[in-house]
Amino acid sequence: MDLMEKIFSLCKRRGFVFPSSEIYGGFGGFWDFGSLGVEVKNNIKSLWWKEVVHERKDVLGLDSAIILNPQVWRASGHTGPGFADPLVECRKCHHRFRKDDLKEEKCPDCDGGVTKEKKFNILVKTYIGPVEDTSTLSYLRGETCQGIFLNFKNVLNCFSPKVPFGIAQIGKAFRNEITPGNFIFRSREFDQMELEYFVKPGTDEKWHEYWIEKRLAWLIKLGLKRENLRLYEHPKEKLAHYSKRTVDIEYNFPFGWSELEGIANRTDFDLKNHSKSTGKDLSYYDAENKEKYYPYVIEPSVGVERIFLALLVDSYFEEPDKEGVRVILKLHPQIAPFKIAVFPLLANKPELVKKAREIYETLRSTFLTAWDDIGNIGKRYRRQDEIGTPWCVTVDYNTLEDETVTVRNRDSMTQIRVKKEELREYFQELIKP
Ligand code: GAP
C-alpha cells in the first residue's frame, strides 16, 4: 500500500474522512468529515483565525454569503475565460477531459470523437428564484474573497481602518473541477481561508514579501517540516487574470510537489472592476495625506483540506514493535483531535473505573479528552497513537494509594507519574503554542 492509500484507509477506519454519499456509490470530489476530522478542521481554522485576525490589530473578520449577485462573477472575470479549464468534449457522451490525459483523439469512455480544446468554466451553477432560466442563473462562489471586495466600503464605513489593513474570511468554496483527485487535495467543495490585505500602491511588493514569509512561518509552526515546503514563483505568462505576481507555497505530497497555499498580488483589479461595474466608488481616502486611491491587494489564500492532508502526510509514521507495526500520527497537540486519553488499567475493577472517570470528567472540561476501557492497555495505546492523541493517562492501583497517574507520551512512549491534581496545569503547559 502506498502512503496515500494508507492515509485514506486510516481516515475512513478511524472516522476522520468518509467519501460523501458513500452508500450511493460516492460522488466524485465531495467528502464528509467524521468526528475526528471535523476537530482537526476546526483546529486548523481557529489557529488560522487566531494568527491572521485575533493576534493582529490591522485585520477584521467577515462571513459573507456563498451565493452572490451573479454580476459579481462577471466583474471579477470568473465567468470569462480566466476561471476555466481548457478541455476537449466527447461529441457522443459529452464527457469532458483534459487533452493531456488522452492517449489518442478519442473519448476513453465511449470511443466517440472529441471536439477541439475549449475553455469550460468551473463555477458551479444554480438557479435562485421561481424559474430556471438565464435570468435566475447564479453561482456558488468559486473563491471566498469576492465577498470581501463587495463589503470593502461597509468595512471602511463601520470601522474606519487605515491602509494597510486586511479583511479575512473562512468559508466554503465550490469548483466544478474536471479532475478532482488525490483524496481531499482537489475537491469540488472545500473550505478556503483567505486574507485580502489592502496596501498603498507602490508598497505592494514589500507587503507581498512580508506575507510570503509570514505564511511560510505559520505552516512550519503548525508542525509541517521545513524540508517538505518550498516556494514556487508563477511564470508571468501563467498568472491568473487578476495577478501581478503569485508565489505558491508548495508541499511535498506523495504525488509530488503541489500547491498548498497561494500568495497573490491582486493589484487593484477587483476593487476597480467592481467600481466600474456598479458605479459605486470603492476607492480609499487617506485623510492624513489627502490622497484618494484604489488600494492594491495582497492575498494569502489556502484550502483547509490541503493543510489537513499535508499534516497527515507529514505526521504519519510506522514503527516496528512486538505486535507488528505501530502506526502513529505525530500531530502537533494543537491540531490533534483529542489531546489526552484516560484509561482505567483494568476495566472490570470498579474502584479503578470510578477514579479514572473522575479524572476524565475533570480533564474534559478543559481539553478534548478520550475515554477508552476496551481491550488491554497496549491496544488502547496503539488506538490513540493512530489518531494522534499526544498523551494517555492510566489509572492503576498506585493511584488509589498516592493519587498519582501514569502519563505516557505518544512519540517517545516514555511514562512518568504525575499527581492527579497537577494534571490540568501539566497539560496546559505542554499544549501551550
Ligand atoms: N482567491 C484566490 C484563489 O482562490 P486559488 O489558487 O485558485 O486562488 C487558493 O486557490 C487556494 O485554495 C489553493 O492554494 C488551495 O489551497 C485551495 N484550493 C483551490 N482549489 C481547490 C480545490 N479544488 N480543492 C481543495 N482546495 C483548493
Side-chain angles (χ1 to χ4, degrees), residues 214-250:
K214 267 268 177 207
R215 298 302 307 144
L216 187 61
W218 184 75
L219 291 166
I220 295 167
K221 203 160 87 182
L222 220 54
L224 293 176
K225 294 184 197 78
R226 178 64 186 89
E227 64 267 28
N228 284 336
L229 295 163
R230 73 176 186 193
L231 298 180
Y232 167 76
E233 180 88 36
H234 281 233
K236 281 251 172 313
E237 64 282 5
K238 289 204 172 151
L239 286 173
H241 60 284
Y242 50 73
S243 173
K244 171 176 163 187
R245 179 182 174 220
T246 299
V247 174
D248 287 345
I249 301 175
E250 292 189 329

Side-chain angles (χ1 to χ4, degrees), residues 133-387:
D133 63 18
T134 50
S135 69
T136 58
L137 176 63
S138 308
Y139 305 93
L140 307 190
R141 65 183 175 198
E143 55 177 8
T144 59
C145 61
Q146 291 306 323
I148 294 180
F149 299 125
L150 304 186
N151 282 289
F152 180 69
K153 252 318 170 295
N154 286 335
V155 172
L156 283 184
N157 291 342
C158 291
F159 306 103
S160 313
K162 302 263 176 300
V163 164
F165 74 93
I167 306 178
Q169 163 151 246
I170 300 178
K172 290 278 187 190
F174 301 82
R175 295 183 190 180
N176 189 7
E177 298 281 2
I178 300 305
T179 46
N182 286 326
F183 189 26
I184 53 176
F185 177 82
R186 180 163 289 109
S187 313
R188 289 180 166 137
E189 173 182 338
F190 55 97
D191 282 288
Q192 254 190 342
M193 307 192 286
E194 298 203 297
L195 165 68
E196 306 306 307
Y197 196 74
F198 300 94
V199 304
K200 189 172 178 183
T203 65
D204 50 308
E205 290 177 11
K206 179 189 86 185
W207 281 111
H208 198 185
E209 289 301 332
Y210 167 89
W211 279 108
I212 294 166
E213 254 175 58
K214 267 268 177 207
R215 298 302 307 144
L216 187 61
W218 184 75
L219 291 166
I220 295 167
K221 203 160 87 182
L222 220 54
L224 293 176
K225 294 184 197 78
R226 178 64 186 89
E227 64 267 28
N228 284 336
L229 295 163
R230 73 176 186 193
L231 298 180
Y232 167 76
E233 180 88 36
H234 281 233
K236 281 251 172 313
E237 64 282 5
K238 289 204 172 151
L239 286 173
H241 60 284
Y242 50 73
S243 173
K244 171 176 163 187
R245 179 182 174 220
T246 299
V247 174
D248 287 345
I249 301 175
E250 292 189 329
Y251 181 77
N252 190 10
F253 287 100
F255 44 86
W257 287 95
S258 309
E259 176 182 349
L260 179 60
E261 167 155 1
I263 302 130
N265 180 343
R266 288 183 84 113
T267 69
D268 52 7
F269 177 90
D270 300 271
L271 289 178
K272 262 194 180 150
N273 275 333
H274 288 308
S275 275
K276 205 152 76 188
S277 135
T278 57
K280 305 278 190 310
D281 181 9
L282 298 184
S283 63
Y284 169 81
Y285 181 63
D286 174 350
E288 240 166 70
N289 298 308
K290 305 204 172 10
E291 277 182 281
K292 202 171 160 195
Y293 57 85
Y294 284 92
Y296 267 36
V297 174
I298 306 301
E299 177 195 62
S301 169
V302 64
V304 177
E305 290 78 359
R306 289 221 179 152
I307 295 186
F308 190 122
L309 184 59
L311 287 169
L312 291 182
V313 169
D314 226 68
S315 65
Y316 184 97
F317 287 87
E318 288 179 354
E319 287 175 3
D321 72 356
K322 291 196 295 283
E323 285 143 51
V325 178
R326 175 169 99 102
V327 173
I328 324 144
L329 280 187
K330 294 188 180 176
L331 292 170
H332 190 294
Q334 298 219 346
I335 294 289
F338 289 115
K339 313 304 171 200
I340 307 157
V342 177
F343 318 143
L345 180 66
L346 299 165
N348 57 357
K349 299 289 174 199
E351 62 278 31
L352 294 183
V353 174
K354 184 167 173 266
K355 193 60 140 187
R357 278 273 172 207
E358 267 171 41
I359 293 172
Y360 167 69
E361 290 301 337
T362 316
L363 288 176
R364 71 188 286 265
S365 63
T366 312
F367 316 100
L368 206 60
T369 305
W371 169 264
D372 195 350
D373 58 7
I374 300 164
N376 65 40
I377 209 84
K379 291 224 166 66
R380 295 183 218 162
Y381 283 149
R382 295 294 172 273
R383 271 201 295 275
Q384 296 302 324
D385 290 344
E386 200 184 39
I387 59 170

